[in-house]
Amino acid sequence: MTINRIINSGLIIWLALYFSVQLSAQLQPVYQLNFNNCDGTDAIGNLDNEITSPTVDCDCGVEQDAVYLNEEADSIFLDDGVKALLSKDFTFSMYFWAEPAPQVYSMFNVQRFCNKDSIFNIKYLPSIQEVNVEVAQNFGSGAFLFGKVNPDRCWHHLVLVRNGLDYSLTVDGVFAETKSSPMDVVMGERHKVRIGSSPCLNTLESFMRGRVDQLKIFDRVLTLDEIQSLDERPNQILSQDTTIFAGSSFPILTGPTCTSNFDWIPSTGLDDPNLLNPDAGPTETTQYFLNLDYGTCRAQDSIRISVIDEDAIDCSQLLMPNIFTPNGDKINDEFAISNDFIIEDLNYFEIYDRWGSKVFETNVKQEGWDGSMNGQTQPPAMYVYKIEYTCQNETFKKLGNFSLLK
C-alpha cells in the first residue's frame, strides 16, 4: 500500500508538470523572442525588422540561449508592430537576470525623447530589488506599478497584463498590484521599441547589465492558469512540500539550470546528493535546501518532506482549512485537503454555495478548488464541503463549511 501511494505521488507530480507544459505549449503569442540565436528574431514569424547591436553577447538562458547586455551600445530594436500590440489588451511576459549595480536599469521601453510623452518603460532597481513599470500618456497621467523580485532567484519572471485601462503586474509568480490609467496611452509614430537601453538615461539610470530571455507578447488577457503556465521555474524545485510514510522515498524534481555547481543541505536521506533530481527518504521530517552558485548570483529553493508513522494515523482527522483567498498570490490560493496522505480512495469531494448549487467536485485527493466555476470567479461567501473517503479500509465522511475571502 505504501509503495503504491509513493508511486501515485510521483505520478501526480509528473502529470502536473506535463499538463503545465501542454497548457504553455497551447498558448500562442503574437510575438516571441526565444533568443536561441542571440538576436531579436521573432520565433512566430509575424514581425521582422529587428536590429541587434553587434556587441550583444550570448549566454546560457532559461531554456537554451539568452542575450547578455553589458555595454552602453547593447540594444535590440524590435519591429514597430510591437507598439500595435501594446496599444490594446495584451499580456507581456519576460525573463531577466540583472546584475547588482547602484543605478536603475532600463530593460524594455517604447520611447523617442527624454520626456513623459506616451511612453512604455520597464525598469529594474537593483538597490531595492524592485521592478518599475511606467505606462504614461504625459507627465503624471498614466499607470505606475512596482513589484519586488524574489531575492533567492537569479532569473526573474515578469508578467504585465493590460485589460482596458487597467494594468496588472506579476513578478516571480506573485501578484504585485493593479493600477488604472486615466486615459488610453498611444505610442508615438517615431517611438522606437528597444531592449537593453533607453533614449533617456540620467545620472541615476544605466543601460541594462544582465540577461534577457523568453519575451512573449499575447494580444489578449491571459487567465491566471495561463500566466502560471508561462513560468518555467529555472533553478527552482518543482516538487511541492509533501508527506511520506517512514521507510518510503519521494522523487525531488527541479527546473532547468545552467550550472553544475550546486549542493543539497542537508544531504542526509538523499539517494545521491550529486543529482539535481534525487530521491529523498529521510527518517524524520526534513527541510531540504537546494543552493545553486553562478559566481555572480546564488539561487536557493527548498522543499519540506514530512515523515509520519503509518500506524499512528487517525483516519477520522481529515484536516481542512476554514478560509482561503484565491487572489493569485500563490498563498492560500486553493481550498484542498491538507492531509490527503491518509486517504486511500477519495469517493467524492464536493463544494456547494449557500444556495445549494454545486461549484466543485473531484475524486482525486490532490485536487483542490481555485474559487471558480466554469471559468467564473465565485463571490466571497460561506461555502459547504462534503467528503467521503476510505482510510485503512474503512469509509469516513466529513461535512463542514469555510469562507472564501478576497
Side-chain angles (χ1 to χ4, degrees), residues 148-151 153 155-158 170-174 231 330:
K148 289 284 189 181
V149 303
N150 187 328
R153 298 182 186 177
W155 279 112
H156 301 290
H157 186 213
L158 178 153
T170 298
V171 182
D172 289 339
V174 177
D231 191 352
K330 291 192 174 181

Side-chain angles (χ1 to χ4, degrees), residues 15-31:
L15 288 174
L17 295 175
Y18 172 80
F19 286 117
S20 176
V21 170
Q22 292 302 305
L23 177 57
S24 179
Q26 292 170 8
L27 297 178
Q28 185 68 22
V30 176
Y31 193 39

Side-chain angles (χ1 to χ4, degrees), residues 331-343:
I331 301 175
N332 201 24
D333 271 346
E334 186 178 74
F335 183 79
I337 302 169
S338 299
N339 59 338
D340 59 40
F341 57 86
I342 75 171
I343 297 177

Side-chain angles (χ1 to χ4, degrees), residues 27 88-92 159-168 218-224 226-227:
L27 297 178
K88 302 176 182 179
D89 287 357
F90 66 80
T91 299
F92 178 100
V159 179
L160 180 69
V161 176
R162 171 179 171 170
N163 188 358
L165 295 180
D166 294 333
Y167 293 84
S168 300
F218 301 81
D219 60 352
R220 64 182 178 89
V221 177
L222 298 190
T223 66
L224 178 60
E226 289 174 328
I227 290 175

Side-chain angles (χ1 to χ4, degrees), residues 343 345-349 360-367:
I343 297 177
D345 293 300
L346 180 64
N347 298 331
Y348 58 78
F349 174 16
F360 174 79
E361 64 177 333
T362 184
N363 59 3
V364 178
K365 65 181 182 179
Q366 291 88 358
E367 288 184 353

Side-chain angles (χ1 to χ4, degrees), residues 10 14 56 135 141 145 171 198 205 212 254 290 329 333 387 392:
W14 183 87
V56 171
V135 185
S141 177
L145 301 97
V171 182
S198 166
E205 297 182 345
V212 175
T254 60
L290 173 63
D329 64 358
D333 271 346
I387 302 174
Q392 295 183 349

Side-chain angles (χ1 to χ4, degrees), residues 81-98:
V82 173
K83 288 188 293 187
L85 296 178
L86 300 178
S87 66
K88 302 176 182 179
D89 287 357
F90 66 80
T91 299
F92 178 100
S93 171
M94 181 181 77
Y95 277 94
F96 69 94
W97 176 340

